[in-house]
Amino acid sequence: MDRKKFSENALSLKKCQKIYSLLFWTYALSCIPYACVVIIYAFIRGIIVTDITYLVRGSLLVLAIFCAGLVSIYKKELKFTWIPVAVAIISVFVSGFDDTFMIFFGISVVSSVLLTVTHKKYRFLETQDGFPYFNERFEGQKNGLQNYVNNNPYQQNIERYRNSSGKMDDI
């Protein structure tokens, strides 16, 4: 593999890692403060039977969106990517539409689309030579070790002695 391909793949991997970290902080900075405010608000007002749905939607479902987003980012698999959107849709059906909660639905949809594209790119990069370093030196060392294992001079001498007939004519 040539140097240009290694540099392109390394650049793509850095972009994938930046998107993963951006989405992590997006989830963290949007979901956790909202859930904390809802829990504090519920305790200040006192948990009344009518506020249970608000508490469940505000804290548990938002934290479920956050955890599902983190699992999707950590596992780097497409099957976990759309779980935050599903949790947001379920919460809308459970407790109705709310302007603040629609923000989380929008964040979930946008991040799921970004994660789908990023996961596909990351899976492609995993199949390329030189992953995860994309450095010629590391790839050369890996190939050199494999060549040494295949062409070990000590092992070749042993095989040559074993295969020799043992007659004086060979000398």
Side-chain angles (χ1 to χ4, degrees), residues 28-94:
L29 294 178
S30 63
C31 294
I32 291 175
Y34 181 76
C36 291
V37 166
V38 167
I39 291 171
I40 291 169
Y41 179 72
F43 283 117
I44 288 174
R45 285 191 60 201
I47 299 176
I48 304 171
V49 176
T50 59
D51 287 342
I52 296 271
T53 59
Y54 181 72
L55 180 66
V56 167
R57 186 191 69 206
S59 61
L60 297 179
L61 291 176
V62 171
L63 289 177
I65 289 173
F66 175 68
C67 291
L70 288 185
V71 167
S72 175
I73 291 169
Y74 177 73
K75 292 286 187 178
K76 295 178 177 65
E77 292 185 16
L78 289 174
K79 63 183 174 184
F80 297 114
T81 304
W82 292 94
I83 292 176
V85 176
V87 171
I89 290 172
I90 289 169
S91 65
V92 165
F93 286 127
V94 166

Side-chain angles (χ1 to χ4, degrees), residues 88 92 96-108:
V92 165
F97 289 96
D98 184 8
D99 292 338
T100 29
F101 200 74
M102 293 309 287
I103 292 171
F104 297 110
F105 180 74
I107 288 172
S108 299

Side-chain angles (χ1 to χ4, degrees), residues 3-170:
R3 185 179 298 223
K4 182 179 178 184
K5 194 69 172 170
F6 274 133
S7 63
E8 288 174 2
N9 288 342
L11 185 64
S12 295
L13 184 64
K14 285 182 183 178
K15 285 181 183 178
C16 288
Q17 291 170 345
K18 284 182 183 180
I19 290 173
Y20 286 139
S21 64
L22 172 77
L23 290 176
F24 168 77
W25 287 111
T26 301
Y27 274 122
L29 294 178
S30 63
C31 294
I32 291 175
Y34 181 76
C36 291
V37 166
V38 167
I39 291 171
I40 291 169
Y41 179 72
F43 283 117
I44 288 174
R45 285 191 60 201
I47 299 176
I48 304 171
V49 176
T50 59
D51 287 342
I52 296 271
T53 59
Y54 181 72
L55 180 66
V56 167
R57 186 191 69 206
S59 61
L60 297 179
L61 291 176
V62 171
L63 289 177
I65 289 173
F66 175 68
C67 291
L70 288 185
V71 167
S72 175
I73 291 169
Y74 177 73
K75 292 286 187 178
K76 295 178 177 65
E77 292 185 16
L78 289 174
K79 63 183 174 184
F80 297 114
T81 304
W82 292 94
I83 292 176
V85 176
V87 171
I89 290 172
I90 289 169
S91 65
V92 165
F93 286 127
V94 166
S95 58
F97 289 96
D98 184 8
D99 292 338
T100 29
F101 200 74
M102 293 309 287
I103 292 171
F104 297 110
F105 180 74
I107 288 172
S108 299
V109 170
V110 170
S111 64
S112 294
V113 169
L114 275 173
L115 279 173
T116 302
V117 172
T118 307
H119 287 337
K120 286 183 180 181
K121 184 65 176 175
Y122 189 83
R123 292 291 177 216
F124 170 75
L125 291 173
E126 282 182 334
T127 61
Q128 299 300 307
D129 290 336
F131 180 81
Y133 304 112
F134 295 117
N135 191 334
E136 291 178 4
R137 185 180 59 147
F138 290 121
E139 192 67 21
Q141 287 176 353
K142 187 170 68 173
N143 291 338
L145 179 63
Q146 187 66 27
N147 289 338
Y148 181 76
V149 168
N150 292 339
N151 301 322
N152 187 350
Y154 178 71
Q155 189 67 30
Q156 288 176 354
N157 286 338
I158 290 174
E159 291 297 323
R160 188 168 27 123
Y161 288 132
R162 284 185 187 162
N163 294 334
S164 65
S165 62
K167 297 179 184 176
M168 292 300 286
D169 296 338
D170 293 338

